[in-house]
């Protein structure tokens, strides 16, 4: 009797064995309902064994193999195994992450919604041949003819009581029961067919190089300045892939970007079936789209990081746009990097992959330097005559600012207003002010649950923690000394907005941040207003920096760039450079000349010199030399053991025990340290860094260490390994 090995969504790094009468080798990858504890669960059959690891008599039988549900293809199962091994996460939980939730729920999902469909006898009946007074029967028959099939819900929607009429049709043999045919979502409005723009020589060379490499795995790093037309290169490669009858997987960092990119692809490829996959989809919808991809009915799959796990039987191309973006790395649960897994998949399936960015991650840049990736350059803006924006630094050390705004920046805003052009102000801090301060005793309002200050939100007179969500009313007096004078210190977007309304009352102002875009369609509505020219000054956080095109924008002001220059995170300057170059790239994307003004108290910092040149490669070369000297990634490989508990003593005791039980061969273990955010949502947090010269040395150490860590049985401590971390 075969023994089925089943992966279940439980935090244990083990497979569960069940007897499975009648199960066959091709059931690997199928979902199965099994008894577990006092209940039942849905798991994935990942293999079969001849002999069980425990006494066969103690094994329970599989309740049912869910053959009516789609099985996971072998390559996705292999990807899941790789993920479990590389990120040291239980296979059952990896599978739970990548499968649509709907498939795993209890009771097991039905594969398809049952529908009513006309039989051949029913198709022969004309609604007009029914008696005149049989109004409802006529209507139902006509609806069936028009729509082909109707679900139970759709039947009820035709008119109340339509279900009974349907039963009559069934008795007459006019209809039959069936399962819904998956349908490709038609675009809401017909998109106009787009004529592809003429490629410039750089774009043409990039497309030609990838196409010339032909079939098989190849990795390309497309280094293209903002506005250089990377998307057009992707489009040509997708067209090429479509022509071969193959599927393309396009990964993008942000959910905000998907509707715009999706619309662009729909305009370009009206005949192709395009689906988007992201975390905000309703579960039923996610399952539907996932199945379209799996059944090879989707030609282009566009999605955020989770989409890297989509089954694609005809896969022919993978594109990762804005590959440097840290949102490709999941920061909790299965801490995977979708970009790195995309490379794995491309290699596994033997297809070309393109990583695109204006500011590639230093890891990818290093891979290009080592010729592991082929480097493709788009050094020019695609629009004829578009020039890179002029960059000006405003030294704010000796200037009294007006609510964070320098005189030169205010003047530049007035100038744009007079000329009827748009400006963008970038301040990566939402709320009114970052902290509330008592000038009498120096008290600062802190979060009771986290090691951070509370942000002042003046509009509704609340103090809020941006890490745990804690909020409270702004106190009337200082809780320490009773003084009445409490002042908000520093600037957030709301405060600058208030100041601008006073300074430039005639300007039409729009603030874009997490607070102003909470409503579901708020952001698209706002972007539409911007595109329609109904906004003079845009003020916002990093939400503004990505993807969106603002053709009439000629001025970008950066209010406070210095945070990233002081940070303890070794990646902070890389991120700051990427962010500033990205936001600077919003200026003058079309023909109008752009100007970027940066307020800083460190105008001599070399980062600004590289930024002024718009020279990513010079910056990356310097940064790489620094990292190499300091033996930091990509010149070394890291993993954090992250832990949290109610007290710092408990966390530190666990980490010290973890360090003590390690056998560090070929790796360096550092001392446990409190996390950068040492207290979050009431939990104390600390971590321990492991560093190695090679990926294999790191992996060789982590496997056995994990076994020892599990043996510590630290019940009060929650811990996890973070392999290839992108945050300190
Ligand atoms: Zn006080
Ligand atoms: Zn908090």
């Amino acid at each position: 009797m075969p023994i089925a090995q089943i992966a279940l969504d439980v935090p244990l790094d083990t497979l569960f064995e069940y007897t499975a009468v009648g199960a066959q080798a091709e059931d690997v990858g199928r979902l199965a309902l099994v008894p577990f504890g006092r209940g039942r669960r849905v798991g994935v059959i990942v293999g079969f064994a001849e002999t069980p690891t425990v006494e066969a008599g103690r094994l329970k039988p599989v309740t049912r193999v869910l053959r009516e549900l789609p099985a996971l293809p072998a390559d996705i199962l292999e990807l899941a195994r790789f993920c479990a091994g590389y990120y040291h996460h239980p296979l059952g939980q990896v599978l739970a992450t990548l499968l649509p939730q709907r498939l795993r729920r209890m009771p097991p999902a039905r594969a398809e919604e049952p529908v009513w469909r006309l039989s051949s006898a029913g198709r022969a009946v004309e609604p007009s041949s029914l008696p005149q007074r049989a109004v409802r029967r006529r209507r139902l028959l006509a609806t069936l003819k028009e729509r082909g099939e109707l679900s139970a819900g759709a039947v009820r929607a035709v008119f109340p009581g339509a279900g009974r009429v349907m039963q009559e049709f069934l008795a007459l043999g006019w209809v039959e029961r069936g399962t819904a045919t998956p349908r490709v979502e038609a675009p809401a409005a017909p998109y106009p067919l787009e004529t592809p723009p003429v490629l410039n020589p750089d774009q043409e060379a990039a497309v030609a190089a990838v196409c010339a490499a032909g079939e098989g795995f190849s990795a390309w790093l497309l280094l293209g300045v903002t506005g250089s037309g990377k998307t057009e290169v992707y489009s040509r490669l997708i067209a090429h892939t479509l022509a071969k009858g193959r599927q393309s997987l396009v990964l993008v960092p942000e959910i905000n970007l998907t509707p715009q990119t999706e619309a662009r692809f729909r305009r370009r490829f009206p005949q192709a079936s395009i689906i988007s996959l992201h975390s905000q989809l309703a579960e039923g919808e996610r399952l539907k789209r996932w199945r379209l991809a799996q059944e090879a009915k989707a030609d282009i799959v566009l999605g955020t990081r989770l989409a890297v796990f989509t089954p694609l039987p005809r896969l022919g191309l993978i594109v990762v746009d804005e590959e440097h973006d840290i949102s490709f790395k999941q920061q909790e649960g299965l801490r995977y990097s979708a970009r790195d897994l995309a490379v794995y998949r491309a290699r596994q399936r033997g297809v070309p992959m393109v990583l695109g960015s204006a500011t590639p991650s230093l890891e990818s840049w290093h891979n290009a330097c080592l010729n592991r990736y082929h480097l493709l350059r788009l050094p020019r803006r695609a629009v004829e005559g578009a020039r890179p924006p002029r960059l000006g630094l405003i030294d704010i050390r000796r200037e009294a600012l007006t609510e964070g705004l320098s005189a030169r920046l205010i003047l530049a805003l007035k100038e744009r207003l007079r000329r009827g052009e748009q400006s963008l102000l970038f301040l990566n801090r939402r709320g009114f002010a970052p902290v509330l301060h008592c000038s009498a005793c120096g008290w600062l309002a802190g979060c009771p649950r986290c090691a951070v200050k509370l942000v002042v939100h003046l509009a509704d007179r609340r103090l809020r923690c941006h890490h745990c969500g804690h909020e409270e009313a702004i106190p009337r007096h200082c809780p320490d000394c009773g003084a009445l004078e409490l002042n908000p210190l520093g600037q957030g977007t709301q405060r600058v907005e208030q100041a601008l309304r006073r300074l430039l009352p005639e300007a039409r102002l729009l603030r874009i941040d997490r607070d102003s875009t909470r409503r579901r369609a708020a952001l698209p509505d706002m972007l539409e207003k911007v595109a329609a020219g109904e906004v003079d000054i845009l003020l916002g956080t990093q939400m503004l920096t990505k993807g969106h095109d603002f053709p009439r924008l000629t001025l970008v002001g950066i209010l406070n760039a210095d945070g990233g220059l002081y940070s303890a995170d070794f990646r902070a300057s890389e991120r700051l450079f990427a962010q500033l170059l990205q936001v600077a790239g919003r200026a003058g994307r079309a023909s109008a000349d752009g100007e970027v003004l940066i307020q800083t108290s460190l105008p001599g910092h070399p980062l600004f010199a590289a930024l002024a040149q718009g020279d990513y490669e010079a910056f990356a070369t310097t940064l790489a030399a620094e990292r190499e000297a300091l033996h930091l990634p990509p010149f070394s490989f890291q993993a954090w053991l992250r832990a949290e508990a109610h007290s710092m003593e408990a966390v530190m005791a666990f980490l010290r025990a973890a360090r003590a039980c390690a056998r560090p061969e070929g790796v360096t273990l550092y001392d446990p340290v409190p996390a950068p955010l040492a207290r979050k949502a009431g939990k104390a947090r600390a971590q321990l860094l492991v560093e190695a010269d090679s990926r294999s040395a790191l992996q060789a150490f982590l496997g056995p260490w994990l076994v020892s860590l599990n043996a510590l049985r630290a019940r009060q401590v929650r811990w996890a390994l973070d392999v290839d971390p992108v945050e300190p």
Side-chain angles (χ1 to χ4, degrees):
M1 185 181 298
I3 311 294
Q5 297 167 319
I6 306 226
L8 291 172
D9 181 12
V10 290
L12 292 172
D13 194 9
T14 183
L15 297 175
F16 296 86
E17 294 176 330
Y18 293 88
T19 55
V21 183
Q24 292 144 8
E26 57 262 33
D27 286 328
V28 170
R30 285 205 182 279
L31 297 169
L33 187 63
V34 296
F36 187 80
R38 266 181 244 159
R40 291 197 293 182
R41 285 187 186 232
V42 175
V44 180
I45 303 177
V46 296
F48 290 102
E50 285 301 315
T51 46
T53 51
V54 296
E55 205 185 308
R58 291 173 53 201
L59 293 185
K60 290 179 181 166
V62 166
T63 311
R64 194 160 71 81
V65 177
L66 305 174
R67 295 210 172 80
E68 68 276 22
L69 294 180
L72 268 186
D75 67 318
I76 298 295
L77 204 53
E78 191 186 320
L79 178 69
R81 282 186 196 276
F82 169 77
C83 245
Y86 188 81
Y87 294 109
H88 302 277
H89 200 68
L91 180 60
Q93 294 196 312
V94 172
L95 289 165
T97 306
L98 67 88
L99 278 169
Q101 223 177 358
R102 194 48 85 75
L103 280 181
R104 298 182 287 111
R105 80 170 173 199
M106 286 291 300
R110 273 187 303 206
E112 287 106 2
E113 204 184 357
V115 291
W116 294 101
R117 202 175 282 143
L118 284 175
S119 64
S120 48
R123 277 196 294 275
V125 183
E126 278 305 317
S128 55
S129 69
L130 296 180
Q132 201 75 64
R133 55 192 170 74
V135 184
R136 302 199 309 169
R137 295 164 120 216
R138 285 177 147 206
R139 194 183 325 155
L140 187 59
L141 190 62
T143 312
L144 271 167
K145 280 195 183 281
E146 184 189 309
R147 309 249 290 268
E149 58 191 37
L150 292 174
S151 67
V155 170
R156 277 193 299 275
V158 179
F159 53 84
R164 276 198 307 278
V165 181
M166 194 61 92
Q167 292 298 334
E168 285 175 34
F169 285 2
L170 183 68
L172 288 165
W174 290 357
V175 292
E176 51 199 20
R177 273 187 251 252
T179 49
T181 330
R183 214 169 323 179
V184 179
E185 215 44 47
Y191 287 93
L193 185 62
E194 205 172 63
T195 340
V198 178
L199 296 182
N200 66 32
D202 304 315
Q203 290 172 311
E204 202 152 334
V207 173
V210 179
C211 291
E215 302 278 314
F217 171 74
S218 56
W220 306 84
L221 180 62
L222 181 62
L223 171 60
V225 301
T226 315
S228 62
K230 288 189 288 291
T231 310
E232 186 50 37
V233 173
Y234 306 151
S235 295
R236 296 291 172 118
L237 295 174
I238 291 169
H240 214 75
T241 311
L242 278 173
K244 288 188 286 185
R246 311 273 293 270
Q247 295 170 293
S248 300
L249 173 64
V250 182
L251 299 179
V252 293
E254 292 272 325
I255 185 65
N256 296 333
L257 290 182
T258 336
Q260 217 179 33
T261 319
E262 190 182 341
R264 189 180 283 181
F265 284 143
R266 283 199 194 284
R267 276 198 304 274
R268 188 59 177 276
F269 306 110
Q271 268 82 45
S273 77
I274 300 171
I275 58 166
S276 66
L277 285 168
H278 50 78
S279 55
Q280 284 184 4
L281 285 178
E283 275 307 320
E285 193 54 35
R286 186 179 163 211
L287 175 58
K288 197 167 118 196
R289 296 185 188 186
W290 191 83
R291 296 197 62 184
L292 286 172
Q294 188 187 25
E295 289 162 8
K297 286 176 181 141
D299 299 311
I300 302 171
V301 173
L302 177 71
T304 49
R305 62 174 179 250
L306 197 55
V308 76
F309 295 111
T310 315
L312 294 155
R314 291 189 284 115
L315 183 65
L317 171 73
I318 301 180
V319 171
V320 182
D321 191 25
E322 307 292 346
E323 68 88 30
H324 64 277
D325 201 291
I326 62 163
S327 72
F328 284 124
K329 174 94 198 252
Q330 177 144 305
Q331 307 282 12
E332 57 197 29
L334 171 61
R335 293 163 194 250
Y336 67 98
S337 157
R339 178 199 62 209
D340 295 352
L341 289 181
V343 181
Y344 176 89
R345 270 201 95 175
R347 198 185 291 279
Q348 175 195 36
R349 296 289 298 273
V351 299
M353 77 161 309
V354 180
L355 303 171
S357 176
T359 51
S361 63
L362 208 61
E363 280 76 9
S364 297
W365 167 253
H366 185 58
N367 278 327
C369 293
L370 295 175
N371 287 322
R372 286 185 193 140
Y373 299 166
H374 309 284
L375 185 61
L376 300 168
R377 290 185 178 90
L378 302 179
R380 277 178 291 256
R381 291 191 163 206
V383 176
E384 194 102 25
R387 270 178 288 169
R390 275 170 294 130
L391 188 112
L393 293 175
I394 303 175
D395 185 349
I396 55 170
R397 282 172 299 184
R398 276 177 210 89
E399 189 178 341
L401 302 177
T402 313
E403 297 292 9
L405 298 163
S406 61
R408 186 171 157 201
L409 188 55
I410 296 171
L411 202 69
L413 286 170
K414 285 187 173 153
E415 179 67 24
R416 294 313 186 291
L417 207 54
R418 200 179 49 75
R419 297 208 302 248
E421 295 169 359
Q422 282 174 336
S423 307
L424 183 157
L425 289 181
F426 175 67
L427 174 62
N428 215 359
R429 201 189 272 150
R430 67 191 171 92
F432 183 80
V435 63
L436 189 67
H437 175 244
C438 168
S439 41
C441 75
W443 170 85
L444 297 167
C447 176
R449 310 178 66 213
C450 309
V452 292
K453 302 290 171 263
L454 291 171
V455 177
V456 184
H457 287 252
L458 211 57
D460 48 1
R461 302 203 54 81
R462 307 289 285 175
L463 295 174
R464 288 203 177 90
C465 173
H466 287 185
H467 291 277
C468 73
H470 167 87
E471 59 177 275
E472 56 190 68
I474 294 180
R476 288 176 197 285
H477 52 78
C478 171
D480 269 14
C481 73
L484 286 170
E485 202 170 323
L486 296 177
N487 301 307
L489 280 190
Q491 279 84 33
T493 46
Q494 291 176 9
R495 189 174 203 164
V496 175
E497 180 187 16
Q498 207 179 67
L500 286 170
R501 289 203 192 283
R502 205 181 59 237
L503 291 165
L504 306 164
E506 70 281 24
R508 292 167 302 171
L509 198 63
L510 182 67
R511 175 168 61 85
I512 297 189
D513 57 27
R514 277 244 298 281
D515 298 310
S516 72
T517 55
R518 238 169 251 291
R519 196 169 51 78
R520 217 189 158 96
L523 184 62
D525 288 354
M526 288 181 178
L527 294 174
E528 214 161 285
K529 270 177 98 174
V530 179
E534 291 165 23
V535 175
D536 301 312
I537 302 175
L538 265 160
L539 165 69
T541 56
Q542 52 144 6
M543 284 185 83
L544 273 182
T545 61
K546 302 188 179 175
H548 322 295
D549 286 335
F550 306 128
R552 290 180 51 245
L553 192 74
T554 60
L555 173 70
V556 168
I558 292 160
L559 296 196
N560 185 356
D562 296 351
L565 300 174
Y566 298 120
S567 170
D569 178 5
F570 71 87
R571 284 193 175 84
S573 59
E574 178 184 342
R575 301 247 161 83
L576 180 64
F577 185 83
Q579 198 172 51
L580 293 184
L581 202 65
Q582 208 163 26
V583 68
R586 303 292 124 204
R589 288 201 77 156
S591 49
D593 275 346
E595 184 178 23
V596 178
L597 294 174
I598 300 179
Q599 299 189 157
T600 174
S601 43
L602 293 165
H605 198 284
L607 184 141
F608 293 122
L611 197 67
Q613 298 301 312
D615 192 345
Y616 166 81
E617 294 189 46
F619 177 70
T621 306
T622 316
L623 203 59
E626 260 174 51
R627 296 266 186 95
E628 186 166 21
L630 296 169
H631 200 65
L632 287 168
F635 300 91
S636 66
F637 298 85
Q638 296 185 335
W640 281 109
L641 173 61
R642 302 189 193 270
E644 60 173 47
H646 285 289
S647 75
M648 190 51 94
E649 290 76 52
V651 189
M652 288 307 237
F654 166 75
L655 291 176
R656 279 192 296 269
R659 197 175 190 282
C661 73
R663 287 179 212 290
E665 275 174 46
V667 300
T668 308
L669 260 76
Y670 289 84
D671 286 329
V673 288
L677 186 57
R679 207 171 161 74
K680 184 178 176 184
K683 292 277 178 61
R685 308 158 85 226
Q687 50 200 26
L688 188 162
L689 181 65
V690 187
E691 202 177 76
D693 285 341
S694 71
R695 220 180 268 284
S696 54
L698 183 63
Q699 289 294 336
F701 166 75
L702 291 177
W705 192 37
L706 198 69
V707 177
S708 317
L709 291 178
N710 279 318
L712 289 176
R713 299 189 172 277
R715 288 226 166 74
Q716 296 86 18
V717 182
R718 269 190 55 183
W719 56 270
L721 276 178
D722 187 353
V723 180
D724 303 335
V726 294
E727 284 185 328

